Amino acid sequence: MASDPTAREGRPEPGRFRFGDIEVDAAAHILRRAGEPQSLEPKAFAVLLELLRHAGELVGRDQLLDAVWGHRHVTPGVLTRAIAQLRTTLDDDPHHPRWIQTQHALGYRFIGKLDGDAAGTAPGAAGGLPDGATAAATATPAAPAAAEAAAQAVQTSSPARAPPRERRRDDRRDAGPAPWRWPAFVVMVVLAVAVGWWQRRDAEVSLPREASIAVLPFTTLSDDRQDRYFAEGLAAEMLSALAGVHGLRVAAWIPPEALDRRQDLRVLGRTLDVATVLDASVRREGNRLRISAHLSDTATGTTLWSRTYDREAAAVFDTQSEIANEVASVLVGVLPDAGEGLRKRLAPTRDVAAFDAYLRGLQQLFAPGGSEKARAHFEQALARDAGFAQAQAGICRIELWRFEGHRNAQAFDSARLACLRAANMDPGIGSVQLALGDLYRVREQFAQALDYYQRAEADPAVRGRALAGQAKLLAAQGRQDEALAGFRAALAAAPDDAGLHADLAYQQYLAGALPEAIGSMRRASELQPGDAYVWSTYGSMLMAAGRNGEAIVAFERSRAIEPIEAVISNLGTLRYQAGDYAGAADRYREAIALNPGNPQLWGNLGDALAADAATATQAREAFGEAASRMQDYLDLNDGDAKAVAMLAWYRANLGEHERARELLARAEALGSEKAEVALCNAQTLALLGDHVAARQRLAAARAAGMAEVRIASNPVLRRAGLVPPDAGTPPAGQGSPRADAAPSTGERP
């Protein structure tokens, strides 16, 4: 009677490996450390088995990829990630390994000492199969799910046998299954294999096959909570640098307001469609900098790599580079240039004070009323480092915003000069290419703009904005459906970018889809609830829909954050519509004081002054200022249909009737913003006394989706008898929107 081989002194159970406090059960697919089961992905487990089967030997990267993944169009990063997970599970330091040694650019070797006879532990070796197992259990990890499921199926489905002492002598001839049992036995094995394969397949399909990462906004642990700009700025720079690593997919930036840190890591991974997440905490105290970074696996929630850096603050660039290089090595292996590309991208300047000023500028760029403060910080950074291209690109961005968003012609030359300076410093930076794309777009040089946008698209940090820029090019050419599709593609690249939701909202508004536009702006306000410009634009769209009560709430939210001219002007419009012309004029003057370069504000003031007999003689000066500034803007951007229609209105009020008609026809010929242009032109024609043509434009405005309340409440049309005198009269204290209250693009840089 043969004794049980698993009970022999010094021999492990077949199909099991033991080293240190680690036990690996190949058949059961279980790894225990100090007796506790450990969570491990199937692929990582299969890699470990392959290394254990060749203990002491160098196992090449290609050999492991072939054995475990079948080299199914996967990058080497999946292997590096599996090794990193194994090191975490085995508590193995990659710099001082006990179990797995890395042979750079070649492969890996298991260097630990296996307990007992290693040859006897390898499934498939002589005497190494579990009692009753079939050859299916010896299959290579090229199909690990099938092999493991088959082994488990055989163990669980084989007929139970009595202990050896109780077996009868004639049981030997019945040792195998009876002939009639073989079909059922085979079917059970096949079913078990199929179920195991499908379960494993489902688990694998839910995970990204490529090396991928999301960089979360870093958190500050400094006593000064205002230091948040520094921590988040480091994260944004890290994302931009990792985006340049070949073979690594990097998720778009997640604004802190859009991130729920209480969310389970696995859910976050599925939401962002990434395999890993990088997070860090940052503390600055005097001249010291402490960064604790960790890379986590979103499939298991385990930490793949972590390290704390405690250094001089002046070493921030080197620290960032080390973190990026470690992360990249874990995910895609050793970098061909030994991380030199990462070091260059993470050191846009070697002046720490200039870098700090730049990060402060980025924070102010998106803060209420922060554009001028941001500019001051960028200029401070350039004073420290005259070749700091990213700081120069920030100034370019601010000036373009002033030109496009506020129709401020004086800002264009400043924008052009700033953008060209940035290009001379470093034309390859994504933010610089994006700025140049915007510069050429607003000048309607579409071919050049498209070229720069496509270059910027390669940088994930600005990819969403680059796609949005291309969508704006389509919109400028009247290709509205394609433009909407382009904005949706931009949002797919950066789904939590409030600015992109606002861009989509504006395009939907232009297309006459006002309910959809309001929905997009609502989403923007949820993502960026502290942005006064978002609430201002949201309120303008609600006004355009005649939802004045809700619009007032949005405007008050905006004003509570920051008194910006758009909100003050719209509140003036509410007073104007309620018949309080003097109060409206006061609000318009207040808005002009904040932004005297915006011609529309001067036009609003002219309307309020002209409506009041006591101030009518003052209106001409305001309309003259509006016309002059609008003409300067149109000399640079003559494709803005609404601006052309507004200029026609200003010229009509100045008594230049023929010029007004020419501009009116030109605005309609441009073919964009049809509802706004039609309503504005109806106003102009009513002033010129051409009521038949005015009615035709009102019909066109309605056909293009203009809200009836905006037509009925227009005082110019009411005075001309084109709408009933009492139609559209708003409730006391509310007022109704005018044609100039509609939202405009380019609200933020």
Side-chain angles (χ1 to χ4, degrees):
M1 189 183 319
S3 62
D4 186 348
T6 64
R8 284 184 292 178
E9 188 75 20
R11 285 286 299 272
E13 297 177 36
R16 295 177 184 269
F17 299 86
R18 292 191 180 90
F19 49 96
D21 63 349
I22 309 295
E23 178 184 349
V24 179
D25 187 334
H29 201 276
I30 294 175
L31 184 149
R32 294 184 178 86
R33 193 170 112 198
E36 293 295 324
Q38 304 294 312
S39 175
L40 196 60
E41 277 189 37
K43 296 298 188 187
F45 192 89
V47 169
L48 178 60
L49 288 182
E50 190 70 11
L51 292 174
L52 291 173
R53 290 182 179 116
H54 299 86
E57 303 174 17
L58 175 65
V59 184
R61 295 169 67 90
D62 285 344
Q63 180 180 341
L64 286 168
L65 288 169
D66 284 336
V68 178
W69 284 271
H71 238 125
R72 295 173 300 175
H73 307 290
V74 295
T75 66
V78 296
L79 174 58
T80 312
R81 175 172 166 246
I83 292 292
Q85 190 185 92
L86 285 174
R87 291 196 194 281
T88 300
T89 303
L90 301 177
D91 192 21
D92 196 28
D93 185 347
H95 302 290
H96 305 285
R98 288 191 303 155
W99 309 123
I100 300 175
Q101 181 187 67
T102 301
Q103 195 79 24
H104 288 298
L106 296 177
Y108 303 91
R109 178 186 288 107
F110 181 81
I111 58 174
K113 185 180 185 313
L114 293 173
D115 294 347
D117 183 356
T121 69
L129 286 175
D131 193 16
T134 70
T138 70
T140 68
E148 293 155 13
Q152 294 176 33
V154 171
Q155 289 180 327
T156 57
S157 61
S158 297
R161 291 179 290 179
R165 294 176 185 268
E166 297 177 3
R167 294 180 64 189
R168 299 194 309 272
R169 183 173 303 185
D170 60 353
D171 280 348
R172 294 178 185 174
R173 62 176 176 240
D174 295 325
W180 62 269
R181 292 177 183 166
W182 274 110
F185 178 77
V186 171
V187 168
M188 291 175 67
V189 171
V190 171
L191 285 174
V193 169
V195 169
W197 184 85
W198 275 103
Q199 289 175 338
R200 186 69 51 79
R201 174 184 177 276
D202 287 344
E204 291 175 3
V205 166
S206 66
L207 298 173
R209 292 190 180 279
E210 60 188 332
S212 52
I213 187 172
V215 180
L216 303 186
F218 296 170
T219 55
T220 181
L221 300 180
S222 302
D223 293 336
D224 182 4
R225 290 299 169 182
Q226 296 301 315
D227 221 25
R228 169 179 164 178
Y229 79 91
F230 184 76
E232 293 175 5
L234 291 183
E237 295 297 301
M238 179 68 69
L239 181 150
S240 180
L242 289 174
V245 175
H246 179 69
L248 179 61
R249 180 171 59 81
V250 181
W253 175 253
I254 310 165
E257 296 83 359
L259 178 64
D260 183 359
R261 290 187 178 274
R262 299 168 300 177
Q263 193 175 40
D264 184 87
L265 196 60
R266 298 171 179 83
V267 175
L268 183 63
R270 288 193 296 270
T271 301
L272 301 176
D273 189 30
V274 292
T276 59
V277 165
L278 176 66
D279 200 0
S281 60
V282 181
R283 180 187 293 275
R284 282 200 302 179
E285 293 181 347
N287 293 325
R288 301 298 299 178
L289 174 68
R290 183 183 180 88
I291 301 179
S292 296
H294 53 273
L295 180 70
S296 302
D297 190 302
T298 59
T300 63
T302 58
T303 300
L304 299 175
W305 168 87
S306 66
R307 188 174 175 186
T308 297
Y309 302 82
D310 194 346
R311 296 178 176 173
E312 294 289 330
V316 60
F317 304 118
D318 295 333
T319 304
Q320 281 273 85
S321 298
E322 284 187 40
I323 294 173
N325 197 41
E326 290 275 9
V327 168
S329 297
V330 168
L331 297 178
V332 298
V334 179
L335 300 178
D337 64 351
E340 184 58 34
L342 286 173
R343 280 189 287 275
K344 181 180 179 181
R345 286 190 289 273
L346 285 165
T349 174
R350 296 306 299 183
D351 189 302
V352 176
F355 185 64
D356 187 83
Y358 167 69
L359 294 183
R360 288 181 183 274
L362 286 183
Q363 181 200 38
Q364 289 296 329
L365 195 63
F366 299 103
S371 61
E372 289 307 313
K373 294 178 182 177
R375 184 190 180 99
H377 286 305
F378 291 147
E379 289 175 343
Q380 181 184 350
L382 287 165
R384 300 276 315 188
D385 180 356
F388 197 167
Q390 291 181 350
Q392 188 65 53
I395 294 176
C396 170
R397 190 174 181 178
I398 291 170
E399 293 302 322
L400 279 171
W401 170 48
R402 288 179 57 215
F403 171 71
E404 187 177 16
H406 297 160
R407 297 188 173 98
N408 187 333
Q410 296 175 349
F412 180 78
D413 285 338
S414 299
R416 181 177 59 83
L417 183 59
C419 291
L420 292 178
R421 282 176 176 169
N424 288 333
M425 292 175 186
D426 192 342
I429 297 177
S431 57
V432 172
Q433 293 166 338
L434 179 63
L436 289 169
D438 288 339
L439 178 70
Y440 284 108
R441 174 178 55 79
V442 298
R443 286 304 311 272
E444 297 186 335
Q445 294 174 284
F446 296 152
Q448 295 94 322
L450 179 61
D451 180 52
Y452 280 110
Y453 282 142
Q454 289 176 337
R455 294 187 201 179
E457 193 179 335
D459 183 351
V462 297
R463 184 169 185 268
R465 297 285 176 139
L467 290 170
Q470 294 176 56
K472 290 176 183 179
L473 291 178
L474 294 168
Q477 298 170 63
R479 299 155 65 180
Q480 301 295 343
D481 291 342
E482 294 174 76
L484 286 170
F487 281 116
R488 292 191 179 95
L491 277 173
D496 295 318
D497 188 326
L500 293 183
H501 283 279
D503 282 342
L504 173 61
Y506 183 68
Q507 191 59 37
Q508 290 168 326
Y509 167 80
L510 294 181
L514 190 54
E516 292 82 353
I518 290 173
S520 295
M521 277 310 306
R522 184 186 304 113
R523 179 57 180 154
S525 69
E526 292 168 353
L527 289 169
Q528 215 155 322
D531 192 318
Y533 290 91
V534 166
W535 285 107
S536 170
T537 306
Y538 186 27
S540 295
M541 288 193 172
L542 290 168
M543 284 181 72
R547 294 160 60 176
N548 300 327
E550 296 172 75
I552 290 174
V553 172
F555 290 144
E556 292 299 337
R557 285 287 298 268
S558 177
R559 193 165 64 166
I561 299 168
E562 175 196 359
I564 59 177
E565 68 273 13
V567 168
I568 295 171
S569 176
N570 275 322
L571 291 174
T573 295
L574 293 174
R575 287 178 178 263
Y576 175 88
Q577 295 293 341
D580 180 7
Y581 303 126
D586 288 341
R587 297 287 82 75
Y588 293 142
R589 288 191 182 98
E590 186 180 345
I592 288 171
L594 290 173
N595 185 12
N598 189 331
Q600 189 171 354
L601 299 179
W602 288 99
N604 292 351
L605 176 60
D607 290 344
L609 294 172
D612 188 342
T615 58
T617 57
Q618 303 172 30
R620 183 176 181 83
E621 182 180 353
F623 281 124
E625 193 72 31
S628 175
R629 292 179 181 276
M630 189 65 84
Q631 185 63 63
D632 289 343
Y633 166 75
L634 288 170
D635 287 343
L636 295 168
N637 185 12
D638 61 0
D640 189 332
K642 183 182 174 185
V644 175
M646 285 191 289
L647 180 57
W649 168 249
Y650 304 152
R651 295 296 183 195
N653 278 277
L654 291 169
E656 303 173 25
H657 295 181
E658 289 305 314
R659 180 59 177 149
R661 286 184 179 276
E662 291 173 7
L663 290 165
L664 184 151
R666 180 175 144 205
E668 292 176 345
L670 287 170
S672 58
E673 300 189 68
K674 293 180 179 179
E676 291 297 324
V677 168
L679 183 55
C680 189
N681 284 349
Q683 224 178 220
T684 301
L685 290 165
L687 182 64
L688 296 177
D690 190 346
H691 291 184
V692 173
R695 287 191 176 91
Q696 292 173 346
R697 270 52 176 198
L698 290 178
R702 292 185 177 100
M706 177 61 65
E708 186 64 32
V709 66
R710 290 191 56 196
I711 297 173
S713 62
N714 187 293
V716 176
L717 300 177
R718 288 163 64 181
R719 285 196 296 268
L722 296 173
V723 295
D726 297 328
T729 301
Q734 286 195 14
S736 297
R738 294 162 46 196
D740 59 82
S744 62
T745 187
E747 289 285 2
R748 293 298 302 274

